[in-house]
Amino acid sequence: MNLQIEFYEKYQVSVHIEYEQSKESEWAQSREHALLLMYAWYVLRQLNNMGQHPVAKALSGLLAGLLVTDEGVLTLLHEPLRLSQAYTLHRQADALVYAEEPDEDSRQRRVKMNAATYMSLAPLFAGIDRQILSVVPTLVQPTGRPGKKRMLGRLPAGLLDIKGLGILGIDANYYVFHSVLALLRYFAVSHQNNTTFLNQLGHASLLCAVAYVKGQIGRGAAQARMAWDIVDVVKPIELE
């Protein structure tokens, strides 16, 4: 199963997935099962690639927030799509670990500590808002030609080839962030009448975000195994 995310221009992106049932049936139960595995694996890989950069945490906050509204993933179909500010997305990401505190006082202490951190990061948040979150690339149909920036994934091999990006920085993180968002929006469009799949996609997004915030994402094959574990939770294997 092959994934192609092509940025023809900075604000123009396409998504294409090649699925051949005769091949993918060896490792996936169905097309939807394979798509969820590809999605979870890709998100985990890209979050790990960005490391501890605040853009990665902003992305995890966005993923965690998809289940907050009744529309879920379908909120990504709004035009024009306006993303929350980095400050808000970081708060959503940090909220994932608040529940593990033993009592309300501990939770409030964590909230206050994070508030101080947010204040120190204000200039960086402003840069993320301006350079990454202010304009969402238009999702277009594939043209058949390579993009200037490309993300090429393959399962079950677990291979990701990123082309056209230099050393990871704010500009490279722009493309990584919006490649994940483009994949989500692609599924929102292609499965907008499949409520079950979209709910599973939103749940997988949340679990990927939790894994990132808790520092649980491993490297290489460990990411593929975690993707399988996540999909087993959101889409249990149906026994014959």
Side-chain angles (χ1 to χ4, degrees):
M1 186 177 194
N2 296 321
L3 167 68
Q4 295 175 237
I5 301 177
E6 310 276 2
F7 284 87
Y8 302 114
E9 303 291 344
K10 187 170 185 178
Y11 302 122
Q12 192 178 73
V13 61
S14 74
V15 176
H16 176 67
I17 295 178
E18 294 179 0
Y19 172 85
E20 294 184 37
Q21 185 173 358
S22 60
K23 294 181 179 179
E24 318 322 342
S25 61
E26 298 177 1
W27 57 275
Q29 184 190 24
S30 65
R31 175 180 171 82
E32 284 72 24
H33 187 234
L35 293 176
L36 287 169
L37 285 169
M38 174 65 83
Y39 172 73
W41 167 77
Y42 184 78
V43 172
L44 292 171
R45 173 63 65 88
Q46 293 291 37
L47 283 171
N48 188 69
N49 282 346
M50 286 191 285
Q52 296 302 307
H53 197 286
V55 174
K57 194 169 182 180
L59 176 57
S60 67
L62 184 150
L63 297 174
L66 291 175
L67 295 181
V68 173
T69 67
D70 291 338
E71 289 183 284
V73 176
L74 291 178
T75 59
L76 302 177
L77 296 182
H78 293 172
E79 292 290 352
L81 179 58
R82 301 192 185 281
L83 302 179
S84 299
Q85 293 183 324
Y87 166 77
T88 301
L89 296 178
H90 272 238
R91 288 187 61 187
Q92 290 178 183
D94 285 326
L96 296 174
V97 296
Y98 290 164
E100 296 187 349
E101 295 294 339
D103 52 55
E104 181 62 24
D105 287 342
S106 298
R107 283 191 287 273
Q108 289 303 318
R109 281 196 296 272
R110 182 184 284 271
V111 169
K112 290 180 180 178
M113 286 191 303
N114 284 334
T117 301
Y118 299 151
M119 289 293 291
S120 68
L121 292 176
L124 183 56
F125 285 164
I128 294 173
D129 291 339
R130 184 176 62 256
Q131 299 178 47
I132 293 181
L133 303 178
S134 61
V135 180
V136 178
T138 301
L139 189 62
V140 299
Q141 291 295 320
T143 65
R145 60 182 174 83
K148 295 179 178 178
K149 319 289 184 184
R150 315 182 71 197
M151 283 73 169
L152 309 175
R154 187 168 64 187
L155 282 184
L159 299 177
L160 178 62
D161 189 11
I162 300 178
K163 298 180 179 293
L165 297 186
I167 299 174
L168 282 181
I170 194 71
D171 199 49
N173 281 332
Y174 168 91
Y175 290 103
V176 172
F177 181 101
H178 283 292
S179 72
V180 172
L181 186 56
L183 185 56
L184 262 171
R185 293 163 64 211
Y186 168 83
F187 286 136
V189 171
S190 61
H191 290 75
Q192 59 185 298
N193 296 318
N194 188 340
T195 303
T196 298
F197 179 83
L198 293 181
N199 286 339
Q200 292 167 342
L201 192 67
H203 193 185
S205 298
L206 173 61
L207 294 179
C208 288
V210 169
Y212 172 78
V213 172
K214 294 185 177 181
Q216 297 172 339
I217 302 176
R219 295 182 176 275
Q223 295 165 1
R225 289 194 296 270
M226 179 171 281
W228 275 91
D229 291 341
I230 286 173
V231 174
D232 281 351
V233 171
V234 305
K235 185 178 176 61
I237 300 299
E238 299 171 3
L239 299 178
E240 296 293 340

